[in-house]
Amino acid sequence: AISSTAMAEAKVVDDGKPKIQDIKKYLDCFTDGKQAKSYTMTIYADQPVPGQNNSYKIVVPTGGINTNIYGVPTGVVFQTVGGQNFDVGHTFVTFEKNNMDGTNVRQTLGFYPSSNPISSKGAIKDNSGHNADVKYTMNVTQEQFEAALRRVENDFNNKDYNLTNMASNEYNCTSAAISWMNAAGANFSNSSSGLFKNTPGSFGQVLRSKQGAYVNPTSGINGKGPCN
């Protein structure tokens, strides 16, 4: 097991994917001058252990690890001072605008630490193709969709990433994804587990219980990326 002290002192392991430098270049893509037919938002949970509420999974040096194309575990991974790696999973959101002419604009985004989870500024990455174990999609209005995008932009500019709630200031990937969905009327509550208010493991179990949830292995929809 990972002690609370070791967890607090852990460093994030770089997954090789760049942090978004200008979030407006991603969000402005939705202002495409086309009439919208519908808006949807999808929240995904990549659980450390699929189908269980585990807060993390200890990553062994060889074998038995699900890795992405960069060769690292698919969730957010931290390394303790003693060199032990643990994967806390990941929660992220796809925003989708479907147009009357049959085209669409999609962005799949997730919240990350920029460095140390205790005091580092938050960062946002493109989570196109990111593995997940469960997802839930809801239809939203234009007003709800735009409110969620404003929440994303605010997090990008102002929020710190804090992995646990030991200092009563937790705001991790699951907290952010829930906040984005709730800005659009989802009304998700916290899914407390030990040191955490929210984890991909416990929140994934909440999603699995929702009518209409997709509970098979899946991946984040490929997003459009930055627009000039």
Side-chain angles (χ1 to χ4, degrees):
I2 305 291
S3 71
S4 59
T5 300
M7 191 174 289
E9 295 174 348
K11 303 289 186 181
V12 66
V13 176
D14 188 0
D15 64 0
K17 294 195 71 174
K19 303 175 184 69
I20 292 173
Q21 299 300 311
D22 186 349
I23 194 63
K24 287 186 68 63
K25 288 188 175 181
Y26 282 73
L27 304 186
D28 285 352
C29 296
F30 294 108
T31 309
D32 58 356
K34 295 184 177 183
Q35 184 177 358
K37 180 180 180 181
S38 65
Y39 295 87
T40 65
M41 291 173 59
T42 300
I43 189 166
Y44 304 78
D46 169 16
Q47 298 177 284
V49 181
Q52 298 185 31
N53 65 358
N54 299 51
S55 299
Y56 62 87
K57 175 179 64 179
I58 295 175
V59 179
V60 295
T62 58
I65 306 172
N66 292 324
T67 60
N68 59 21
I69 61 173
Y70 302 98
V72 300
T74 54
V76 181
V77 179
F78 294 87
Q79 185 174 81
T80 68
V81 174
Q84 192 172 28
N85 290 346
F86 60 100
D87 181 350
V88 299
H90 191 46
T91 310
F92 56 100
V93 175
T94 291
F95 300 81
E96 183 171 3
K97 175 179 182 272
N98 300 295
N99 295 321
M100 294 295 292
D101 65 1
T103 62
N104 58 59
V105 180
R106 298 164 169 169
Q107 301 288 16
T108 299
L109 306 171
F111 192 69
Y112 287 80
S114 58
S115 54
N116 187 294
I118 295 302
S119 59
S120 63
K121 185 181 186 305
I124 292 178
K125 294 185 180 184
D126 185 338
N127 281 156
S128 296
H130 194 294
N131 291 355
D133 301 296
V134 55
K135 68 178 180 180
Y136 175 77
T137 299
M138 67 179 195
N139 294 313
V140 299
T141 66
Q142 179 179 352
E143 291 76 17
Q144 290 171 325
F145 190 81
E146 291 174 350
L149 296 184
R150 288 194 296 272
R151 187 71 58 84
V152 172
E153 185 172 5
N154 181 71
D155 283 1
F156 179 87
N157 290 324
N158 301 311
K159 279 290 188 178
D160 290 338
Y161 181 104
N162 292 286
L163 178 62
T164 77
N165 203 41
M166 286 187 292
S168 300
N169 62 347
E170 177 181 313
Y171 201 78
N172 57 32
C173 62
T174 308
S175 310
I178 289 174
S179 176
W180 301 347
M181 297 293 289
N182 284 354
N187 295 318
F188 286 121
S189 58
N190 293 329
S191 50
S192 299
S193 176
L195 297 171
F196 303 90
K197 286 194 302 183
N198 293 297
T199 70
S202 59
F203 182 68
Q205 294 303 95
V206 171
L207 284 188
R208 287 176 185 274
S209 69
K210 288 191 70 67
Q211 184 176 3
Y214 183 82
V215 297
N216 298 308
T218 185
S219 59
I221 293 173
N222 287 335
K224 184 177 180 63
C227 294
N228 294 323

